[in-house]
Every structure is written in structure tokens, then in C-alpha cells.
Amino acid sequence: MNLTIQHTFVPHTDPEASLAFYRDALGFEVLNDVGNGTMRWITVGPAGGGATVVLHPPAVDPGITDDERRTVAEMMAKGTYASLVLATDDVDGAFAAIEATGAEVVQEPADQPYGVRDCAFRDPAGAMVRIQQRA
């Protein structure tokens, strides 16, 4: 069996703000943009292909209860609902470029005891975006 990762889903609360972060700060290409207003599903990904990120309105799936929607909104507000880990061969350069866009810094580049150097940002909807470089 040969499986690959095709998409991951990260919620947005303001599609334009999330689009600006993923396209302008991270340099991802917009591969698809479906819907309008806050009900947009925007697929972004790194130039040259690979797994993509679908930015989506949170908690709109059928079958989700109002209590579950409130829980999702609370977790997003705390930054504990979604996370994404990206890889690069130059975490310090990536950090400098992304920080220069005004993105919210969570962690400056640091060597980790598990063999990576990484940094972290928070996207406009609260998702943690970590960027790692193998040490």
C-alpha cells in the first residue's frame, strides 16, 4: 500500500485574512476558491505541488450540534483547535520572511531536543503553524 497525504483542513473565521496569511506570508499558491463571503473553501499549497491546505468555515458540517459549534469556537479562540507543521531547509530565513509580514509570532527559532530547529506562528483564525528544519 502506498498512501500519501493529499489535504488537511484548517478553519478560518475571516477568509480574506487567512488567505493573506497563507498566500502572502507563507507564499502558498491558491489552487481553488469556492463559495462566497465567510462560506468559502480555499485550497492553498506550496508551489510545485504536495499536500494542500483547505481553509474552511468552522463547524459547518452537517450533524454538528450547537454545543459542538461552541466548543470549536472556544478552542479556536484559545488556539488549541488546529495546527499545521511545515518543513523547510532554512527555518531562520523562513522565520525572518514571515515575521516581516506582520504575522503573529508564537515562538522564535529554537533548537529542540527531538532533533529539529523550529519556530511557530498563529494564523488569523488561531491555528498554530509550526515550521521545522531537521537539525
Side-chain angles (χ1 to χ4, degrees):
M1 183 180 323
N2 182 17
L3 300 176
T4 61
I5 297 173
Q6 185 169 3
H7 307 290
T8 189
F9 286 73
V10 174
H12 68 67
T13 53
D14 177 340
E16 289 302 323
S18 288
L19 181 58
F21 176 78
Y22 286 92
R23 181 192 57 209
D24 304 337
L26 299 185
F28 284 177
E29 294 179 344
V30 177
L31 303 170
N32 199 6
D33 189 344
V34 178
N36 57 54
T38 58
M39 295 299 285
R40 288 169 62 190
W41 285 257
I42 306 166
T43 304
V44 296
T52 61
V53 177
V54 179
L55 306 171
H56 68 96
V60 295
D61 298 321
I64 292 181
T65 67
D66 289 342
D67 285 343
E68 290 167 333
R69 284 187 182 87
R70 275 190 293 278
T71 299
V72 168
E74 289 169 5
M75 291 179 71
M76 287 177 64
K78 292 179 181 175
T80 59
Y81 183 70
S83 63
L84 181 64
V85 179
L86 306 174
T88 183
D89 58 1
D90 179 12
V91 73
D92 293 285
F95 177 82
I98 296 166
E99 182 185 38
T101 68
E104 181 183 346
V105 174
V106 176
Q107 176 203 305
E108 294 189 9
D111 293 323
Q112 302 297 343
Y114 41 88
V116 300
R117 180 168 177 77
D118 69 356
C119 63
F121 294 90
R122 192 168 311 285
D123 85 356
M128 178 76 71
V129 177
R130 300 194 74 81
I131 302 172
Q132 296 182 338
Q133 175 184 352
R134 289 187 184 265

